Amino acid sequence: MTGHRPYSAPAAGITIAILAILVLAADQLSKFFALQHLEERTTVNVVGELLQWHLVFNPGAAFSMGEGVTWVFTIILGLVALVIVYLGITRIRSRAWAIVLGLVLGGVLGNLTDRLVREPGFAVGHVVDFILTPWMWFWTTPAIYNVADMFIVCGMISVAVLVLIGINFDGTRGAKKAEVEESVDE
């Protein structure tokens, strides 16, 4: 055990929901301002070449991969959101997992919203990206992303950390007693 009382189902669900709503709001508000104040494909220096604004409409995934199958990303985002909601309702009893999944869900919903409501149409909308960090180029075109992407990436890194340090969905640490007993019996 982690030494903490397990989070109740309602507490976990409320944590996930509140964080998802806050991230979704931050993402959509930042995209609103980007659309109001930036010209498409024009770079604005914020902090030299460290941070720039550069508005683009992304039909694909990271680095615009898969531009011809935008609807597939819509389905994947929808499924990820449903899985997180399902886990939140049925399995999550850890504060850490609730926080991480709430932040990831908010990011997923931010990009899913773009896919559903933006041009060129329902389920094939292009995601609004505007944050440019030329120094983060990964040996290809520079990364241009949005607030939702930041929460998805940081959230998935956090998921990996929680898994690596052995925090279970219910807040316990390491293998559960039944799993340990099964492995001993074999």
Side-chain angles (χ1 to χ4, degrees):
M1 286 292 259
T2 61
H4 297 286
R5 269 187 316 130
Y7 230 25
S8 69
I14 290 168
T15 299
I16 292 169
I18 288 172
L19 290 173
I21 290 166
L22 289 173
V23 170
L24 174 60
D27 176 66
Q28 291 299 305
L29 187 60
S30 67
K31 289 173 181 174
F32 171 79
F33 284 120
L35 292 169
Q36 295 297 309
H37 299 289
L38 300 174
E39 281 186 46
E40 186 175 1
R41 301 207 177 273
T42 301
T43 302
V44 177
N45 288 334
V46 178
V47 182
E49 288 196 14
L50 185 65
L51 176 63
Q52 302 171 334
W53 299 151
H54 188 87
L55 180 63
V56 295
F57 299 92
N58 186 354
F63 302 102
S64 295
M65 293 185 291
E67 292 180 14
V69 290
T70 301
W71 60 272
V72 172
F73 301 120
T74 304
I75 292 170
I76 292 169
L77 288 169
L79 290 174
V80 168
L82 289 173
V83 166
I84 292 172
V85 169
Y86 172 78
L87 289 173
I89 292 169
T90 63
R91 310 260 323 268
I92 304 301
R93 300 298 176 266
S94 158
R95 178 176 286 121
W97 274 106
I99 290 169
V100 168
L101 292 180
L103 298 176
V104 171
L105 180 59
V108 166
L109 292 175
N111 285 341
L112 180 60
T113 299
D114 285 4
R115 296 281 181 211
L116 295 176
V117 303
R118 298 210 188 272
E119 295 295 329
F122 182 77
V124 293
H126 296 177
V127 173
V128 175
D129 288 331
F130 64 94
I131 302 169
L132 171 61
T133 48
W135 56 272
M136 192 167 40
W137 60 281
F138 300 115
W139 300 275
T140 182
T141 57
I144 303 173
Y145 48 94
N146 58 49
V147 172
D149 296 333
M150 291 189 302
F151 280 99
I152 292 169
V153 170
C154 291
M156 293 312 297
I157 291 168
S158 299
V159 164
V161 168
L162 289 174
V163 169
L164 287 173
I165 64 174
I167 304 291
N168 298 315
F169 288 155
D170 63 1
T172 59
R173 241 178 214 256
K176 293 186 182 175
K177 186 177 178 183
E179 293 171 350
V180 172
E181 288 174 0
E182 287 178 14
S183 65
V184 171
D185 291 339
E186 295 173 354

